[in-house]
Amino acid sequence: MYSEKVMDHFTNPRNVGELENASGVGTVGNAKCGDIMRIYLDVDDNQIIRDVKFKTFGCGAAVATSSMATELVKGKTIYEALQVTNKAVMEALDGLPPVKVHCSLLAEEAIHAALWDYATKNNIEIPGLDKPVNDISEHEEEEEY
Ligand code: FES
């Protein structure tokens, strides 16, 4: 049912954790299942994502897609990171079962929410970036989960 790459990223997820003093933090909720994803970005002065971490209350597919998504945005510029769509992440994982496609949206939206937070804090505009509809960062900021 799951590809080898999905199983690898699920059993050995990359970039799990959090970043102190992150440049951008985004938290999103999955409208379909209620699961939650938070992404931390460390962006340098050249607008390159130097480090990225994630934490989730999500299923295995959410863990695997977030792990792969963090690998794909690391070292990219904030503008390139916007091109890391859930489709690109699923392709990199050799696909997901159709019922699990909504899980992969958590990673994409959490990255967008973190980019949005970075852009807002730095007063810049990232063309093509909108605040994700499932962005719950404002409600989650003070809460630990
Ligand atoms: Fe909720 Fe997969 S079932 S993220």
Side-chain angles (χ1 to χ4, degrees), residues 22-38:
S23 328
V25 183
T27 309
V28 293
N30 191 317
K32 225 166 162 172
C33 62
D35 289 346
I36 291 171
M37 176 74 58
R38 182 177 290 168

Side-chain angles (χ1 to χ4, degrees), residues 59 63-64 78 93 119-120 134 136 141:
C59 70
V63 170
I78 53 171
L93 285 170
T120 307
N134 296 316
I136 54 170
E141 237 151 50

Side-chain angles (χ1 to χ4, degrees), residues 78-79 81-83 85 108 112 115-116 119 124-132:
I78 53 171
Y79 306 100
L82 205 54
Q83 313 308 319
T85 60
E108 178 189 305
H112 288 187
L115 287 170
W116 182 268
I124 59 167
E125 199 177 315
I126 302 176
L129 176 67
D130 294 315
K131 188 175 164 70

Side-chain angles (χ1 to χ4, degrees), residues 2 30 32-37 56-63 65 99-106:
Y2 289 113
N30 191 317
K32 225 166 162 172
C33 62
D35 289 346
I36 291 171
M37 176 74 58
T56 188
F57 258 152
C59 70
V63 170
T65 48
V99 293
K100 287 287 172 186
V101 170
H102 73 98
C103 312
S104 66
L105 281 169
L106 263 187

Side-chain angles (χ1 to χ4, degrees), residues 2-69:
Y2 289 113
S3 72
E4 266 176 42
K5 281 192 191 161
V6 172
M7 290 312 292
D8 176 31
H9 279 264
F10 169 56
T11 50
N12 180 25
R14 283 53 148 190
N15 308 309
V16 173
E18 47 190 287
L19 291 176
E20 266 182 51
N21 306 318
S23 328
V25 183
T27 309
V28 293
N30 191 317
K32 225 166 162 172
C33 62
D35 289 346
I36 291 171
M37 176 74 58
R38 182 177 290 168
I39 296 244
Y40 301 79
L41 297 177
D42 178 15
V43 182
D44 72 12
D45 293 342
N46 296 317
Q47 299 185 325
I48 290 170
I49 298 171
R50 202 165 29 192
D51 203 3
V52 48
K53 296 270 189 232
F54 80 93
K55 275 196 335 189
T56 188
F57 258 152
C59 70
V63 170
T65 48
S66 302
S67 168
M68 180 56 93

Side-chain angles (χ1 to χ4, degrees), residues 2 12 19 32 37 56 60 77 87 89 109 117 135 140:
Y2 289 113
N12 180 25
L19 291 176
K32 225 166 162 172
M37 176 74 58
T56 188
T77 68
K87 198 163 166 271
V89 172
E109 290 193 339
D117 182 44
D135 190 336
E140 292 290 313

